[in-house]
Amino acid sequence: MPETAVKTAAEIRRDFLDFFTEKYEHTFAPSSPVVPHDDPTLLFTNAGMNQFKDVFLGQGEREYSRAVNSQKCIRAGGKHNDLEDVGKDTYHHTFFEMLGNWSFGDYFKAEAIRWAWELLTDVWGLDKDRLYITVFEGDEADGLEPDEEAERLWKEHTDIDPGHISRWGKKDNFWEMGDSGPCGPCSEIHYDATPDKSGGDLVNRDDPQVIEIWNLVFIQFNRDRTGRLTPLPAKHVDTGMGFERIARVLQGKTSNYDTDIWMPIFRAIQEKTGGRPYRGDLEDHTDTAYRVIADHIRCLTVAITDGAVPSNEGRGYVLRRILRRAVRHARQTFGVERPVLCDLVDSVAESLGEAFPELRQDPPRVARIVREEENAFLRTIDRGIEHFHDAAERSESKTIPAEDAFKLHDTYGFPIDLTSVMAEERGIAVDVAGFEKLMEEARAKSRAGAEKDESFTLTPGAIDALKKMGVKPTDDHHKNTGRPVMGKVKAIWNGADFDNLASINRRVAIITDKTNLYAEAGGQVGDRGEMHDDYEPGYGVTATEAPTSFEVEDTQLIAGYVLHLGRVTSGEVHVGDDLEIHVDRAHRDPVRANHTGTHLLNFALRQVLEGEEVDQKGSLVAPDRLRFDFSCSRAMTTAQIEQTERLVNELIDRDLPVHADTVPLEMAKNIRGVRAVFGEKYPDPVRVVSVGPTIEEIAADLESKTWEERSIEFCGGTHLESTKQARHFVIVKEESLAAGIRRITALTGVPAQAADQAGHDLMERIEAARGKVEADLLSEFDEISVLAEQITTGAVLRVKIRAALDALREEVKKMRKDARAGSREKVVERAREIASESNGTVIIESIDGADKDTLLAALDVIRAKHEASAIMLFSVDHDEGRVMMVASSPKPLIAKGLKAGDWVREAAGACGGGGGGRPDLAQAGGKDPGRTGYAMEVAYEYARGQLDL
C-alpha cells in the first residue's frame, strides 16, 4: 500500500504529466486517435509510441526532443491482444490509457531509470520494498547480448534492493510494436501487493497481486518484414505506464475495476439493466458481465469517436466482435431484450471527457452507431443461443462441431471467440481448427482482387543508406504543374538493394533529385509518365547509343523520397543520368477532374444532407472513377442523390476557378468552414484548395458568410484550373460501407457524359418498345433487360430505368398471359395426344404454355382415358421463373403407397419448391425452371420405388 494520501484517477494523471513537463522540460503531446489512419501495419493504436513511429524510423521529426502524454490505446487484435482476458481477471482491458514519456535522440537509459524511480518513490511514495525490476537477458537467435547496461544503471541511479532485479527473455523484456517496426530491450517495473511483501517469486507469473506497472523501452533497433534486426539511426526512449494499473496501486485496491475510473460506468450499467450492484467477485458470472460490458463500451465509444465503425473486416470486425460479446452478456446475463450499450455511451464520455475532450463532441452519433449494431445482433442472438445449446447437447465429445460454429458465425453473427467463451462457460470446447478451415473455404469462394505490391517499399535500412549516400529527399514541388522537368538519377532501388544501372525490361524504382510526378497520397493514385534523355538518334547510331527511355508505371512517396516504379523500355538508366520527366496526361487529366469532383461532391453532400454530420472517411481518386466515403446514418434517397448531382453540375457549369495556396497550418486550421480528413496528418505549411474565392479573399472577409458557400479543403492533390473542365458529373452508385458510413462512386468528364447518354438512350428504347406487336415486343424486351444490367449510368437514371422496365415487364407479362389463354385449346389438344400415346402405369409429361387452370384441365383429359394410371404434368413459366406441377393417383396405387401429395412434394423439392395436397390430387410449384428435367426424373424414380416397378 502506498504511503501517500489516496488520489483520484484524474489527480494521478495530472501528477504524471506535470512531473515531466514542469520538472524535466517535456512537451505535452496530445493523444493521437486510436485509429491509426496513416499506419497500415496497425489495427489500432496499441501504445503511446505509435504516433512517433516515423521519428523512430528516421522518416520524420518533431519540434521537440522530449515528450509526455496519456495515450488512448486499444489492444484487441493482432500481436497485442488482451480481449480474451477481459472480465476474467482484475487488470486486462481492451481500451486503456498509457501514460508515457519519450526521448527522441535526447536522453537515454540513465535518465529514464532515474526519473521513473523518483516519480514512483519520491512523488507518489511507493514502498521501495514492493518494487521489482526485470531486464533483458539477451537472445542468441537474434544475436542480442544481455542488457547489462540497464542492470548496472538501476543499481547506480536508484536505491533499489539489487536482489529485486532479475533477467528475463525476449517474450517479457524485448518490446516490439508489431511483427515489424521499431523495437528494443526494456526494463519493466513490477509492484508487489501481497500483504506480507512476499511476491518476489510471482514477478511475470500472471498473478493478480504482482503486476507490471511501468515499462521503460530503449528503442535502438528496427525489425523489417523478413524479421531482420538493424540498428536505428538514433537511440530513443519510450516508456509506458498503464494508467488503470497505477491508479489501482495508488488507491490501494486489489483490482483495476475497483478504482474510481470504473464506478460511474458500473452505476450506469446497473441503472440501465436493472441489475444488482457490482461486487467485484472474479468467480461470479454477473460481475464478469459488469467488467466485460464496462470495458467494451469504453473501447467502442473511444474507437467510434476516433473514426472507426463496426463492420465485417479489419478493425471494424474487431469492434463488431467486442460489441457482440457485450450484447450477449446484456441479453443473457442481465436479461435485457433491447439495445442497452448505446445508453452507456454518455457515462464513458463523462468519465473520460476531461482528458480527451473529443469524446464529448458528439456522443449521440456514437450512441446511434452502437444502437444500430445492437439491433442487428439482437435480431438473431436468441436463435443463435438456442442453436448453441442444441449443438452442445448433441455433442457427445464435449466439443461444438466446426459446422455448428460456422453456422453460428455465418447465420447468427456469433464471432468464433464469442462461441468459445460460451463453450468455456459450459466446460466444453469448440473445434476452432475445423471452423478456420470452413472460414478459409468461404473466403476462397468470395476472395477478389489482389494485395498491393509492396516489393519496392523502402526499408528503414534503405532509408538510412540513402542518407549516408548523401541522397536528399526528392524535390516534388513541380508535381502540381505537371510541366516537364529535368531530374538527375540519384539512386536505383531493386526492392532489396541499390544498383548503379537498370537494364531494359527490368522493374526498378528510380529516385531522382526532383520530379513533376504526383506520388500516391490522400486517396489519389500515383502518376504515370516517362523519363528519357534528350539524345536524338541519327546516322551511324550503335546499339549502345540507343536513347534511354523509362516508363513510369506508378509513383510512391516513402520518407520524403519519390519512387518512380517502372521499366526501362530503351537503353540503360545509370545513377547520375539527367533525364527529362514527362507526365502521362491521358492518366493525370481524368484524375484531376475526379479529384476536383470529389471536393465538389463533399461540398454538395453537406448542403443536401442537412442535419447529418457529414465527414469524409476516405476516398479514391483514380482515372476511371472517384469514390467518396462519408459519415451518414442512413441511405440517401433518390431525391437526395439527384439533388447532389444537380448541385455539383451547377458548380461545374458556373466555371468557378479552383485555387491552391500554401498556408501556415495554424492559420489554415482557423479558416471557418475548412474541411480536413479526420486523423490525417498535415504538413506545416499546408496546401489549401478552394473553389470560387481565393484564400486571400476569404481571409479579408472573415465576417461575411458568403465564402462559406464554397468548397475549402486541406489537400495536396492535383486539380483542374476551373470547374468547367470537369464537363459533367454522375453518381453511379450510393451504398453502405459500414454502420454509419456511406460510399458514393461517381464519374466526371467524358465517362460521365457517356454514362448519362447511355441511360437516356435506354430510356428512349424502353418507351419506343411499348405498344409494339407481340413478336417484336418480346424480342425487344429480352434485349433491353440484358442491356439494363450491363450499362454504366447514373444512379438516378438507373432508378427511372428500373421503373420503366418494370412497367414494360408488366405489359409483356399481360401479353404472354393473353397468349397462354389463347393457347388453351393447344394445351388440351396436346393432352389428348399424350392420352393416346401413353399406356403405362405412370405417366409424366411436360406441356409448354399452360397456366395452372389449363394444366388441371389437361390432367382431367388424360385421367379420363387412363383411370388406373398415376399422372404428373409439368409446365414452365419462364417469365415468372417458376415451374407448375399437378398430379393424380388412383385408389389402387394409393393403397400401394403412391400418394399424389407426397409424390408432387418430392418432385417440387428437386426444382427448388414445395407443395402437396390430397392423396388422389395435388399440385406444387418449383423456383428453378432449369431443373425441370431433373425433377421429372426424380418423380419417376419415386413412383417406381413406391410401386415396385
Side-chain angles (χ1 to χ4, degrees):
M1 293 282 293
E3 297 174 2
T4 53
V6 175
K7 293 177 176 288
T8 65
E11 290 171 337
I12 293 168
R13 185 191 294 113
R14 177 48 52 196
D15 281 350
F16 184 90
L17 299 176
D18 289 349
F19 177 79
F20 285 100
T21 56
E22 296 177 5
K23 188 167 186 178
Y24 291 111
E25 300 178 332
H26 286 58
T27 297
F28 173 74
S31 171
S32 62
V34 293
V35 180
H37 299 277
D38 56 350
D39 190 343
T41 67
L42 287 175
L43 274 176
F44 297 101
T45 299
N46 59 23
M49 60 80 65
N50 291 165
Q51 67 169 303
F52 304 118
K53 182 179 176 181
D54 61 322
V55 179
F56 298 139
L57 288 173
Q59 299 176 2
E61 56 185 29
R62 300 291 186 274
E63 295 179 350
Y64 44 83
S65 61
R66 299 180 179 186
V68 65
N69 83 350
S70 182
Q71 171 65 48
K72 298 174 293 185
C73 298
I74 291 178
R75 291 187 179 176
K79 188 179 181 70
H80 299 285
N81 184 1
D82 291 339
L83 179 58
E84 302 305 322
D85 295 317
V86 171
K88 298 177 183 177
D89 63 21
T90 61
Y91 55 93
H92 279 104
H93 312 291
T94 54
F95 167 79
F96 62 97
E97 289 184 57
M98 180 78 82
L99 302 172
N101 58 290
W102 292 271
S103 163
F104 310 127
D106 189 330
Y107 61 84
F108 200 45
K109 294 181 182 180
E111 295 86 346
I113 289 170
R114 186 170 65 250
W115 296 341
W117 191 254
E118 179 184 351
L119 176 61
L120 292 175
T121 61
D122 292 351
V123 176
W124 282 334
L126 289 183
D127 185 346
K128 298 172 185 178
D129 291 337
R130 292 187 177 276
L131 297 175
Y132 287 81
I133 309 299
T134 62
V135 298
F136 183 47
E137 70 178 7
D139 186 271
E140 290 186 10
D142 275 331
L144 296 171
E145 297 293 327
D147 194 0
E148 295 178 349
E149 178 189 14
E151 185 173 348
R152 174 178 55 80
L153 291 170
W154 276 109
K155 295 174 181 177
E156 292 180 356
H157 288 272
T158 76
D159 55 351
I160 189 171
D161 181 347
H164 283 205
I165 302 174
S166 57
R167 296 184 180 185
W168 292 78
K170 188 165 67 173
K171 175 179 176 293
D172 296 295
N173 280 84
F174 192 86
W175 196 91
E176 302 191 61
M177 184 175 62
D179 294 329
S180 62
C183 53
C186 61
S187 288
E188 292 183 342
I189 305 174
H190 298 255
Y191 184 80
D192 174 11
T194 59
D196 57 357
K197 305 182 186 180
S198 61
D201 292 336
L202 299 177
V203 169
N204 278 339
R205 303 297 184 194
D206 290 327
D207 189 286
Q209 295 186 98
V210 181
I211 58 171
E212 173 203 342
I213 57 172
W214 204 347
N215 191 7
L216 314 183
V217 181
F218 309 118
I219 296 180
Q220 53 197 97
F221 302 105
N222 180 72
R223 189 181 295 278
D224 63 23
R225 286 187 172 88
T226 69
R228 185 169 59 98
L229 289 173
T230 54
L232 287 168
K235 296 179 179 179
H236 313 287
V237 170
D238 159 33
T239 86
M241 173 188 287
F243 174 60
E244 291 78 5
R245 294 190 180 192
I246 193 63
R248 160 189 169 177
V249 169
L250 293 176
Q251 292 181 7
K253 305 296 184 181
T254 57
S255 167
N256 293 6
Y257 292 97
D258 292 339
T259 65
D260 64 336
I261 296 172
W262 299 91
M263 291 305 114
I265 305 176
F266 285 159
R267 284 194 295 271
I269 293 172
Q270 182 184 357
E271 176 188 341
K272 301 301 180 182
T273 65
R276 63 153 173 81
Y278 176 68
R279 298 171 182 166
D281 188 343
L282 285 178
E283 304 300 323
D284 183 84
H285 191 66
T286 299
D287 285 345
T288 298
Y290 263 107
R291 290 188 291 271
V292 169
I293 292 174
D295 172 271
H296 289 5
I297 193 58
R298 290 211 321 163
C299 181
L300 290 163
T301 301
V302 172
I304 294 171
T305 297
D306 281 357
V309 288
S311 67
N312 282 330
E313 57 186 26
R315 64 174 65 99
Y317 185 58
V318 174
L319 294 183
R320 180 163 286 170
R321 287 165 52 206
I322 290 171
L323 182 141
R324 293 187 172 185
R325 290 166 69 110
V327 170
R328 198 272 300 196
H329 270 300
R331 178 70 188 91
Q332 204 172 14
T333 306
F334 288 106
V336 181
E337 299 181 359
R338 58 175 176 76
V340 70
L341 300 185
C342 53
D343 295 333
L344 305 176
V345 170
D346 284 339
S347 67
V348 178
E350 184 60 33
S351 64
L352 293 175
E354 182 179 348
F356 309 109
E358 61 272 18
L359 294 173
R360 292 177 173 172
Q361 288 179 358
D362 195 3
R365 171 186 166 272
V366 177
R368 184 173 65 245
I369 292 173
V370 172
R371 184 181 298 107
E372 290 172 359
E373 280 289 314
E374 286 188 87
N375 275 323
F377 191 37
L378 285 170
R379 284 193 286 269
T380 62
I381 188 172
D382 286 339
R383 283 178 292 150
I385 291 173
E386 182 179 348
H387 184 85
F388 172 85
H389 288 319
D390 288 344
E393 293 296 330
R394 278 188 277 106
S395 174
E396 297 180 358
S397 62
K398 291 192 175 295
T399 300
I400 300 293
E403 294 77 12
D404 287 300
F406 182 78
K407 185 170 185 178
L408 282 166
H409 169 274
D410 194 54
T411 304
Y412 302 113
F414 280 51
I416 185 61
D417 53 299
L418 175 54
T419 301
S420 297
V421 168
M422 293 169 65
E424 183 181 343
E425 290 171 358
R426 286 185 64 131
I428 60 178
V430 178
D431 181 5
V432 176
F435 168 83
E436 293 296 348
K437 183 178 180 182
L438 293 175
M439 281 295 295
E440 184 52 42
E441 290 174 0
R443 292 187 195 105
K445 290 178 182 177
S446 62
R447 190 176 290 125
E451 294 183 2
K452 181 179 174 182
D453 178 13
E454 295 185 350
S455 57
F456 285 90
T457 298
L458 286 178
T459 64
I463 296 168
D464 195 31
L466 285 170
K467 293 178 180 179
K468 290 178 180 177
M469 291 158 54
V471 179
K472 296 179 179 179
T474 310
D475 174 5
D476 66 349
H477 79 273
H478 298 282
K479 66 187 177 187
N480 294 113
T481 68
R483 290 189 289 271
V485 299
M486 291 296 296
K488 183 179 289 292
V489 177
K490 306 299 290 184
I492 300 173
W493 175 244
N494 63 25
D497 206 348
F498 291 101
D499 295 331
N500 289 319
L501 66 88
S503 54
I504 196 164
N505 285 333
R506 189 179 180 196
R507 193 161 192 260
V508 296
I510 291 178
I511 298 173
T512 54
D513 62 342
K514 66 180 69 171
T515 188
N516 59 341
L517 299 189
Y518 181 90
E520 179 180 344
Q524 179 175 328
V525 300
D527 269 337
R528 296 177 184 172
E530 184 185 27
M531 299 180 179
H532 59 75
D533 57 19
D534 56 2
Y535 183 80
E536 293 291 339
Y539 178 76
V541 172
T542 65
T544 57
E545 295 172 309
T548 296
S549 180
F550 181 84
E551 181 182 351
V552 182
E553 301 167 349
D554 192 14
T555 312
Q556 300 290 327
L557 178 67
I558 301 175
Y561 297 101
V562 175
L563 277 65
H564 304 85
L565 280 70
R567 302 175 190 278
V568 178
T569 56
S570 176
E572 293 179 340
V573 176
H574 299 78
V575 172
D577 283 354
D578 290 311
L579 301 177
E580 191 170 60
I581 308 174
H582 292 260
V583 173
D584 180 351
R585 283 290 177 186
H587 181 269
R588 175 181 275 205
D589 286 350
V591 170
R592 293 168 64 219
N594 283 335
H595 206 151
T596 300
T598 301
H599 284 221
L600 298 179
L601 173 61
N602 192 0
F603 163 76
L605 286 170
R606 298 196 308 276
Q607 312 309 305
V608 173
L609 301 177
E610 290 186 280
E612 289 279 355
E613 286 294 324
V614 177
D615 286 313
Q616 181 175 347
K617 294 299 181 182
S619 66
L620 170 69
V621 181
D624 62 332
R625 69 195 186 285
L626 66 90
R627 198 175 67 208
F628 188 76
D629 303 336
F630 59 101
S631 58
C632 185
S633 63
R634 56 185 64 86
M636 294 177 68
T637 65
T638 301
Q640 288 173 329
I641 295 173
E642 189 169 21
Q643 187 181 354
T644 302
E645 231 179 49
R646 183 172 62 250
L647 182 52
V648 172
N649 281 310
E650 286 175 359
L651 295 171
I652 289 173
D653 293 341
R654 289 170 65 180
D655 197 13
L656 297 170
V658 180
H659 305 283
D661 297 279
T662 301
V663 181
L665 182 59
E666 204 54 43
M667 173 184 169
K669 287 181 178 178
N670 292 324
I671 296 175
R672 192 166 35 158
V674 71
R675 310 299 294 183
V677 179
F678 183 88
E680 188 81 17
K681 287 185 178 178
Y682 292 97
D684 189 5
V686 66
R687 190 164 176 264
V688 180
V689 173
S690 60
V691 178
T694 65
I695 300 301
E696 289 79 6
E697 290 170 339
I698 294 169
D701 192 21
L702 289 178
E703 296 306 315
S704 170
K705 291 189 177 181
T706 58
W707 56 266
E708 288 185 340
E709 300 173 0
R710 298 292 181 268
S711 165
I712 311 166
E713 297 188 32
F714 290 176
C715 182
T718 59
H719 284 271
L720 303 172
E721 287 79 30
S722 161
T723 59
K724 190 74 171 178
Q725 294 171 332
R727 297 193 182 189
H728 195 57
F729 175 86
V730 168
I731 294 173
V732 297
K733 185 184 293 185
E734 191 274 348
E735 59 189 329
S736 171
L737 182 61
I741 304 293
R742 307 297 299 177
R743 167 172 287 178
I744 281 178
T745 303
L747 307 174
T748 63
V750 173
Q753 293 172 324
D756 239 7
Q757 189 62 49
H760 287 296
D761 289 347
L762 184 58
M763 282 291 293
E764 290 179 6
R765 189 170 174 181
I766 293 172
E767 289 303 317
R770 304 191 69 172
K772 285 191 174 183
V773 296
E774 179 181 340
D776 292 340
L777 175 56
L778 297 180
S779 173
E780 182 80 348
F781 176 75
D782 290 339
E783 291 182 15
I784 289 173
S785 298
V786 172
L787 187 59
E789 295 300 319
Q790 293 177 342
I791 69 164
T792 297
T793 191
V796 174
L797 258 176
R798 187 170 293 282
V799 171
K800 295 177 180 178
I801 288 169
R802 284 173 181 159
L805 198 58
D806 286 343
L808 186 60
R809 183 176 288 107
E810 290 302 313
E811 191 172 325
V812 170
K813 283 182 184 179
K814 183 178 183 302
M815 189 175 287
R816 285 178 172 162
K817 185 176 181 180
D818 292 343
R820 283 195 297 270
S823 66
R824 178 185 177 88
E825 284 304 317
K826 293 180 181 179
V827 172
V828 172
E829 181 59 34
R830 174 62 185 141
R832 293 191 185 104
E833 292 174 0
I834 293 170
S836 299
E837 296 168 356
S838 303
N839 56 12
T841 305
V842 177
I843 301 172
I844 300 174
E845 293 287 346
S846 177
I847 301 179
D848 292 336
D851 58 17
K852 183 182 68 173
D853 292 338
T854 308
L855 199 61
L856 285 169
L859 179 67
D860 288 340
V861 170
I862 299 171
R863 272 202 306 177
K865 193 168 183 178
H866 296 275
E867 295 179 351
S869 297
I871 307 165
M872 184 178 293
L873 299 181
F874 290 74
S875 186
V876 177
D877 185 336
H878 291 286
D879 291 337
E880 298 290 344
R882 67 184 183 183
V883 184
M884 290 171 285
M885 287 157 270
V886 294
S888 67
S889 184
K891 288 182 178 180
L893 299 187
I894 293 172
K896 290 185 177 182
L898 184 59
K899 299 176 181 179
D902 296 339
W903 189 26
V904 80
R905 188 179 299 112
E906 288 291 324
C911 54
R918 303 195 311 262
D920 64 320
L921 182 65
Q923 57 185 300
K927 299 177 182 177
D928 189 349
R931 293 175 65 84
T932 304
Y934 173 65
M936 294 173 73
E937 292 177 8
V938 168
Y940 183 69
E941 291 301 323
Y942 179 84
R944 283 186 59 193
Q946 296 299 113
L947 301 176
D948 293 327
L949 297 177

